[in-house]
Amino acid sequence: MQSKIGGGGLPPAFSLFPSLNKTFTFHQILVPIITFLAYASFHASRKPPSIVKSVLGHSVNEQSNSPIDNRWAPFKGTKGTQRLGELDLAFLSSYALSMYFAGHLGDMIDLRLFLVFGMMGSGILTVVFGLGYWMNVHLLGFYMTIQIVCGLFQSIGWPCVVSVVANWCGKEKRGLIMGVWNSHTYVGKIVGSFVASSVLDSGWGWSFALPGGLVIVSGLVVRIISDLNLATSI
C-alpha cells in the first residue's frame, strides 16, 4: 500500500531514492520519529521549573540551620516554597483543563499546524519566563500568567502526536510501537534536566531559554518536514 505525496518537490537526498518516500512503510517509520522528537521537546521544556527551584526559592544554611533570604523575589523568604507550589498548581490546572479543548480542536483542524502552533507557543513562553532573570522581574503575576498560558500550549502536544501515530500504526503492531515510542517522555525529561542544570551556574534564565529554544527549533523541523510532504499526516 502506498500513500500519495502532495505537490511540491522533494529534497535532493530523497530524489536519489524515488521509491522510498512513496511507500506506506516509510511513513510508518518517519511519523513516530517526528512525533517522538516533538513530544520529547515538550517534556524537556517542562523541566526548568523543577531544576531552578533551589535557586529561586527559600533555602537553609547547612552550617547554622538558619534561613537564607537572598534568593529571587517573589520566591524568597518564608513563603518562597508556597509561591513555587502556586506556579506548579497554575501550570498543571491550566494543562489539565486545556487538554479537553485541545483534543476537540485537534479533531477539527490540521494536526500538523496545530502541533507546530503548540510547540512554538510553549517554546516562546519558556524563553519569556527566563527573560524574567535578565529583565529583573519580581512580580508573581508575571510568572503565574506565563505558566497558565504555557499550560494551554503544552496541552496541544499529546492529543496531536497520539492521533497522528494512531493513524499510521496498524493494530497488530500498535502495542509494540506505542511502548517504544512512549519513551519520549523520559528522553525529554533527561534532556531537559541535563540542559537546564548544565547552565544553571550561568544564571537561571538560561535554564529556561535553552530548553525553550529547543522546542522552537523542533517545531521548525516538524514544520519544514510537513511542507516538504515527507509525511502527509504530519
Side-chain angles (χ1 to χ4, degrees):
M1 181 176 179
Q2 294 181 337
S3 60
K4 297 180 179 180
I5 305 297
L10 290 169
F14 283 94
S15 65
L16 296 176
F17 306 95
S19 61
L20 175 64
N21 54 66
K22 296 179 182 179
T23 64
F24 184 72
T25 301
F26 173 77
H27 295 294
Q28 283 187 310
I29 296 173
L30 184 62
V31 167
I33 292 175
I34 297 173
T35 52
F36 184 100
L37 170 66
Y39 207 64
S41 67
F42 270 114
H43 270 280
S45 68
R46 297 179 192 174
K47 290 303 296 181
S50 63
I51 297 297
V52 304
K53 280 183 178 180
S54 60
V55 175
L56 293 178
H58 185 68
S59 60
V60 175
N61 188 313
E62 295 181 356
Q63 295 181 347
S64 61
N65 200 34
S66 59
I68 299 177
D69 199 26
N70 60 350
R71 301 298 179 174
W72 191 269
F75 307 108
K76 67 179 183 178
T78 56
K79 292 188 177 181
T81 302
Q82 178 182 335
R83 296 288 180 263
L84 291 169
E86 290 171 353
L87 283 186
D88 288 340
L89 177 62
F91 173 81
L92 293 174
S93 297
S94 174
Y95 180 84
L97 293 173
S98 301
M99 186 75 76
Y100 173 82
F101 300 100
H104 279 288
L105 286 173
D107 289 334
M108 296 185 291
I109 62 179
D110 191 326
L111 287 173
R112 298 171 299 175
L113 299 179
F114 197 38
L115 177 59
V116 172
F117 176 69
M119 296 177 71
M120 299 301 287
S122 297
I124 291 172
L125 286 165
T126 302
V127 172
V128 171
F129 194 108
L131 289 178
Y133 171 77
W134 292 289
M135 296 172 62
N136 201 31
V137 178
H138 297 281
L139 299 175
L140 179 62
F142 172 81
Y143 300 105
M144 191 74 72
T145 300
I146 291 175
Q147 288 295 82
I148 291 173
V149 181
C150 190
L152 188 154
F153 280 101
Q154 285 273 341
S155 69
I156 295 174
W158 183 247
C160 286
V161 296
V162 169
S163 179
V164 170
V165 172
N167 288 339
W168 283 95
C169 297
K171 292 183 178 180
E172 66 279 1
K173 296 182 180 180
R174 186 171 297 175
L176 173 61
I177 293 174
M178 293 296 288
V180 175
W181 174 79
N182 198 46
S183 64
H184 53 52
T185 300
Y186 308 100
V187 171
K189 289 180 178 180
I190 292 171
V191 172
S193 296
F194 174 77
V195 172
S197 60
S198 65
V199 295
L200 186 57
D201 289 340
S202 300
W204 64 261
W206 288 110
S207 296
F208 285 87
L210 293 188
L214 175 63
V215 184
I216 293 173
V217 171
S218 298
L220 291 175
V221 170
V222 173
R223 178 59 179 170
I224 291 172
I225 292 179
S226 301
D227 289 342
L228 290 175
N229 298 305
L230 298 184
T232 57
S233 139
I234 280 199

